[in-house]
Amino acid sequence: MKTTRRRFVQMVGAGALGVGLGPRAARGQAPAVASPRGYDVAVVGAGVFGAWIALELQRAGRSVLLIDAYGPGNARSSSGGQTRVIRMGYGDQEIYSRWSMRSLEKWKELFRSLGRPTFFQQSGVLWMAREQDPLTVKSLETLDRLGVPHERLMRPELEKRWPQIDFGPITWAIHEPESGFLMAFHAVQAAVQRAQRLGTEYRTARVAPPSISAGRLAALGTDRGEKVSAGTYVFACGPWLAKLFPELVGDRFFTTRQEVFYLGPPPGDERFEVGAIPVWVDFAEEIYGLPSFKGRGFKVAPDRHGPPIDPDSLERVVSPETTQRVLDYAGRRFPPLKGAPIVGSEVCQYTNTSNGDFLIDRHPEIENVWLVGGGSGHGFKHGPAIGEYVAARIDGKGHVDPRFSLATKQTVQQRTVY
Ligand SMILES: Cc1cc2nc3c(=O)[nH]c(=O)nc-3n(C[C@H](O)[C@H](O)[C@H](O)COP(=O)(O)OP(=O)(O)OC[C@H]3O[C@@H](n4cnc5c(N)ncnc54)[C@H](O)[C@@H]3O)c2cc1C
């Protein structure tokens, strides 16, 4: 057992900031069977939720195994994109504003501890509004109440600061100067690396749907025939939760295809780089974007839910319809980008719950199983707060918020959290 544990701990630092493979895996062999003594907690899924849950449980002194079918922040996962926005404005959904504030602190602390402060880019976030916009007005009230630094900018000021934007029908906006974006894939790797340094064991393997007897889960099996035993099991599997628990979650998750585009500004044009333009959200048109980071392209992505998909087999190639919509929008809102080439793209999925609230709950029939997911297109930023919340729940501590319960998840979609 000790050998196994030591081997996985030694994986730290094997890649640039990569999560190292064990020597056997590196040679293409199946890793050794998990420790017979079992772990305190096995976390299935090393997306942003599972990575932070593992890290917080490890910090709380638990022995933790983290498993992922394709690897932390892999290309099929929702956490695998290049960048994710972190903002504090959430209308009147104050808990998410609070969790964003808490999470930003913890993200920065994590990146500092690994010598990677640039994984958070404080570009500012501009939430653009039309004349009558109840959600933005409510955000303003919440930000005031919570003391989040922000500015209310009217049209003349917007035009003065960002002449590269044609604001069209937008009359005002909230600017959060201290918000920005996270380097998503690297950020997940960073959380896993930190957890490993503290003792978490990580392995790549797909966990089979669990078989349950007598109200407790005794062990997990992987595709390779390994058995993993733990006192508690956390399933943080994004859209795959619906595959592992079809009866419970199958019709309460709405997994949708989402496309992301990177446009290439003209040569020598720095008006779309970090520092020159903030993250922006055009809520009424259901579209948002991010400044180009080191020439990687100006991101433009519709936030409107796409068609349902299967995350394992989805072909991740953008569609002609969305391409046209994005190019039309970009040419209109950002005139210097009219006719700009697409220099990159991603196809990912949102795992939506009925209204956008996350699912964080104990399995109703299996007392040592927890279900965590339903990131609903806005979950990435909250990874650290979710990690703390889950670790506290498993410890029997902390405030329980009913909005995260399975019982509140409906089978018909009606989005209220943005
Ligand atoms: C295009 C796009 C843009 C987004 N923009 C933002 C944004 O700007 N800001 C923001 O805060 N959020 C954003 N989100 C949402 C955010 O990315 C997600 O809410 C978040 O990444 C969800 O993380 P997760 O850990 O729940 O799921 P995932 O990242 O999908 O991770 C689940 C993991 O479980 C693993 N797994 C599944 N089944 C098994 C199994 N049987 N055995 C072992 N492992 C398994 C998978 O391999 C995967 O790695 C965006 C999402 C998308 C798609």
Side-chain angles (χ1 to χ4, degrees):
M1 181 275 286
K2 282 210 166 93
T3 322
T4 308
R5 186 168 177 81
R6 206 163 35 239
R7 168 154 16 103
F8 279 93
V9 172
Q10 279 168 355
M11 295 192 306
V12 172
L17 229 199
V19 177
L21 296 170
R24 288 169 65 93
R27 289 196 301 270
Q29 299 167 12
V33 173
S35 154
R37 111 191 113 80
Y39 301 86
D40 291 337
V41 188
V43 180
V44 184
V48 71
F49 289 4
W52 273 98
I53 292 166
L55 176 52
E56 290 302 327
L57 286 165
Q58 191 70 53
R59 280 184 172 144
R62 309 282 186 138
S63 64
V64 180
L65 174 68
L66 177 63
I67 315 174
D68 197 287
Y70 299 110
N74 67 78
R76 287 178 172 93
S77 71
S78 298
S79 307
Q82 231 182 82
T83 50
R84 293 288 182 260
V85 179
I86 181 158
R87 59 174 156 95
M88 312 297 143
Y90 259 96
D92 58 2
Q93 310 278 337
E94 189 176 311
I95 185 164
Y96 292 113
S97 297
R98 287 187 182 281
W99 274 20
S100 275
M101 293 164 72
R102 173 73 182 144
S103 293
L104 183 53
E105 265 175 43
K106 294 195 61 114
W107 279 119
K108 287 197 215 167
E109 180 189 288
L110 170 71
F111 300 151
R112 265 197 312 269
S113 76
L114 295 170
R116 301 287 177 150
T118 57
F119 286 0
F120 166 65
Q121 288 292 313
Q122 191 182 321
S123 61
V125 173
L126 189 68
W127 186 283
M128 307 192 286
R130 266 69 169 169
E131 206 59 64
Q132 297 299 324
D133 188 336
L135 187 104
T136 316
V137 171
K138 283 177 182 156
S139 283
L140 208 52
E141 289 164 9
T142 310
L143 298 177
D144 275 338
R145 198 166 52 249
L146 298 182
V148 175
H150 65 280
E151 303 172 281
R152 181 179 182 178
L153 301 178
M154 302 311 289
R155 178 67 176 257
E157 181 63 19
L158 291 171
E159 287 174 354
K160 200 166 113 202
R161 286 203 202 180
W162 297 291
Q164 66 275 54
I165 306 179
D166 177 345
F167 287 95
I170 292 151
T171 51
W172 65 286
I174 300 176
H175 181 230
E176 295 177 19
E178 295 187 5
S179 298
F181 61 94
L182 301 153
M183 311 306 289
F185 156 78
H186 291 297
V188 175
Q189 297 269 318
V192 174
Q193 192 189 42
R194 187 87 188 101
Q196 281 185 294
R197 281 192 185 170
L198 296 174
T200 292
E201 294 180 23
Y202 168 77
R203 70 177 51 208
T204 299
R206 180 155 71 175
V207 166
S211 58
I212 289 105
S213 61
R216 259 189 94 74
L217 181 59
L220 291 177
T222 73
D223 278 0
R224 296 177 173 192
E226 300 162 296
K227 282 264 174 283
V228 171
S229 62
T232 302
Y233 301 86
V234 179
F235 289 86
C237 304
W240 291 270
L241 262 188
K243 292 190 172 196
L244 288 164
F245 300 93
E247 281 162 23
L248 215 52
V249 183
D251 59 356
R252 299 188 211 214
F253 274 7
F254 308 85
T255 302
T256 57
R257 176 191 170 89
Q258 304 299 143
E259 300 180 19
V260 172
F261 296 78
Y262 295 87
L263 304 186
D269 189 340
E270 293 187 315
R271 287 173 294 173
F272 296 94
E273 279 289 316
V274 172
I277 193 165
V279 167
W280 52 274
V281 182
D282 189 341
F283 182 64
E285 296 216 30
E286 298 177 293
I287 197 159
Y288 69 98
L290 278 71
S292 173
F293 179 68
K294 299 195 175 181
R296 302 302 303 170
F298 183 70
K299 177 167 165 176
V300 183
D303 181 50
R304 188 180 297 163
H305 292 171
I309 56 92
D310 179 316
D312 285 302
S313 58
L314 174 66
E315 290 286 354
R316 294 174 191 265
V317 179
V318 292
S319 65
E321 300 75 35
T322 315
T323 303
Q324 200 51 54
R325 183 178 170 230
V326 163
L327 292 178
D328 288 348
Y329 177 85
R332 177 161 49 88
R333 185 71 68 238
F334 306 99
L337 294 181
K338 195 168 179 56
I342 295 167
V343 295
S345 63
E346 292 164 0
V347 178
C348 186
Q349 64 276 329
Y350 285 176
T351 308
N352 303 294
T353 58
S354 47
N355 74 339
D357 275 328
F358 308 142
L359 167 63
I360 310 174
D361 205 355
R362 195 194 287 270
H363 190 291
E365 283 137 32
I366 320 166
E367 49 126 344
N368 62 338
V369 167
W370 291 80
L371 308 175
V372 183
S376 304
H378 71 104
F380 194 94
K381 64 181 81 58
H382 300 290
I386 289 171
E388 283 187 332
Y389 183 83
V390 173
R393 291 289 314 271
I394 288 175
D395 247 358
K397 295 182 198 145
H399 167 70
V400 180
D401 196 314
R403 74 162 64 213
F404 301 125
S405 69
L406 183 65
T408 59
K409 305 294 170 285
Q410 306 296 315
T411 53
V412 176
Q413 254 191 303
Q414 197 168 17
R415 194 175 179 186
T416 57
V417 180
Y418 292 91

